[in-house]
């Protein structure tokens, strides 16, 4: 039966510095590299080997995928990159220290911006320091200036339905290397989590999450309960 592997990228430099990252392109730390390699080693040990791969346009997710595949001896696998798997856009919070932002705006307001389902942060000013709009990887893309989790879901799920699910339906074992919020969007959908409950879900870095799928008589795929590969 088809199998889906979800991996949040290893620790990034701005994870370490406790800054809002979003669409800004930061690299992995040494710890993040180690987490990515460990994820690949665990998949190899457990015999959970992907046959095709999806990731975002962001370096931290791409490198995590490549490092994991290298550990498995699978760097040759086909990889599809798409901006719709990018992290949620944190708007005007991008680059800010999270604690300093709490001190300035208050714990409650920052919690709303970070964890509410449909309240986005203040929008980023076009042309500001961390605006990715001039990045050539986004040529022809209507780059957002802020996103809530709800808005992130609205770009992730259509891509899931149109591009990833058909690959699973063909019997492939699919790995998606992406980000905390783009993966929360998928987990919310696959595990049927409510708008209220998804705000409390954390996706840890470098820990493969597995969904095993069953095929119904009409051919539809139905996901089973998600689990962490380390616990299997």
């Amino acid at each position: 039966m088809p199998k889906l592997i979800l991996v949040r990228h290893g620790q990034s430099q701005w994870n370490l510095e406790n800054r809002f990252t979003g669409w800004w392109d930061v690299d992995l730390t040494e710890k993040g590299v180690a987490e990515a390699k460990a994820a690949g080693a665990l998949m190899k040990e457990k015999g959970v080997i992907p046959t095709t791969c999806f990731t975002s346009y962001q370096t931290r997710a791409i490198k995590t995928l490549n490092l994991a595949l290298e550990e498995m001896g699978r760097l040759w696998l086909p990889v599809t990159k798409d901006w719709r798997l990018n992290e949620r856009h944190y708007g005007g919070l991008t680059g800010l220290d999270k604690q300093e932002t709490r001190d300035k705006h208050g714990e409650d307001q920052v919690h709303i911006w970070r964890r509410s389902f449909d309240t986005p942060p203040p929008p980023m000013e076009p042309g500001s320091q961390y605006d990715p709009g001039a990045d050539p990887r986004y040529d022809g893309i209507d780059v957002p200036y802020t996103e809530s989790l709800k808005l992130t879901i609205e770009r992730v799920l259509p891509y899931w339905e149109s591009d990833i699910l058909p690959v699973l339906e063909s019997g492939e074992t699919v790995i998606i290397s992406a980000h905390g919020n783009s993966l929360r969007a998928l987990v919310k959908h696959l595990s049927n989590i409510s708008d209220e409950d998804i705000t409390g879900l954390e996706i840890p870095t470098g820990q493969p999450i597995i969904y095993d799928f069953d095929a119904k008589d009409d051919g539809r795929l139905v996901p089973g309960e998600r689990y962490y590969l380390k616990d299997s």
Side-chain angles (χ1 to χ4, degrees):
M1 286 292 100
K3 190 182 296 286
L4 175 66
I5 309 161
L6 305 179
V7 181
R8 182 184 176 191
H9 63 78
Q11 184 192 64
S12 75
Q13 188 60 41
W14 280 14
N15 291 150
L16 177 63
E17 295 173 14
N18 202 32
R19 299 167 74 181
F20 291 100
T21 311
W23 277 42
W24 194 246
D25 202 36
V26 298
D27 209 341
L28 297 175
T29 61
E30 288 185 11
K31 179 182 177 181
V33 169
E35 288 176 333
K37 290 180 176 180
L42 180 63
M43 285 184 271
K44 183 177 181 180
E45 174 194 337
K46 298 284 189 176
V48 178
I49 307 297
T51 57
T52 194
C53 317
F54 292 85
T55 189
S56 72
Y57 274 2
Q58 298 183 277
T59 297
R60 55 195 186 271
I62 296 167
K63 280 195 172 181
T64 294
L65 177 62
N66 288 343
L67 288 163
L69 292 178
E70 187 171 15
E71 286 293 310
M72 291 182 274
R74 292 293 190 276
L75 271 174
W76 47 267
L77 284 177
V79 178
T80 301
K81 303 180 181 76
D82 198 281
W83 68 273
R84 286 168 289 185
L85 294 174
N86 275 20
E87 177 58 291
R88 169 190 172 192
H89 196 305
Y90 272 105
L93 301 183
T94 303
L96 298 181
D97 177 275
K98 292 177 183 177
Q99 187 55 54
E100 289 177 359
T101 308
R102 291 188 193 99
D103 294 342
K104 180 178 180 180
H105 295 284
E107 183 76 38
D108 289 347
Q109 180 61 69
V110 174
H111 183 76
I112 290 169
W113 285 333
R114 290 191 68 196
R115 288 301 180 194
S116 74
F117 179 67
D118 56 5
T119 302
M124 177 180 284
E125 288 292 326
S128 60
Q129 182 180 4
Y130 298 118
D131 180 3
D135 191 316
R137 80 188 80 185
Y138 301 121
D139 284 352
I141 294 169
D142 188 13
V143 173
Y145 285 99
T146 188
E147 288 180 309
S148 61
L149 179 58
K150 181 175 184 287
L151 291 171
T152 306
I153 290 170
E154 288 174 3
R155 62 168 159 86
V156 172
L157 285 192
Y159 182 66
W160 160 261
E161 296 284 349
S162 65
D163 288 60
I164 303 176
L165 185 56
V167 176
L168 274 170
E169 289 172 339
S170 73
E172 302 276 358
T173 296
V174 172
I175 186 170
I176 302 175
S177 176
H179 308 265
N181 284 291
S182 50
L183 293 179
R184 284 169 75 214
L186 284 173
V187 169
K188 182 182 189 304
H189 172 69
L190 293 171
S191 294
N192 196 28
I193 300 174
S194 70
D195 296 354
E196 293 75 25
D197 289 344
I198 193 62
T199 61
L201 178 70
E202 277 287 344
I203 306 285
T205 55
Q207 287 291 343
I209 296 171
I210 308 298
Y211 283 94
D212 296 311
F213 285 77
D214 286 323
K216 295 299 183 182
D217 291 339
D218 61 3
R220 288 184 304 113
L221 287 185
V222 177
E225 292 293 322
R226 73 184 185 280
Y227 59 92
Y228 286 100
L229 185 59
K230 65 182 177 63
D231 297 329
S232 66

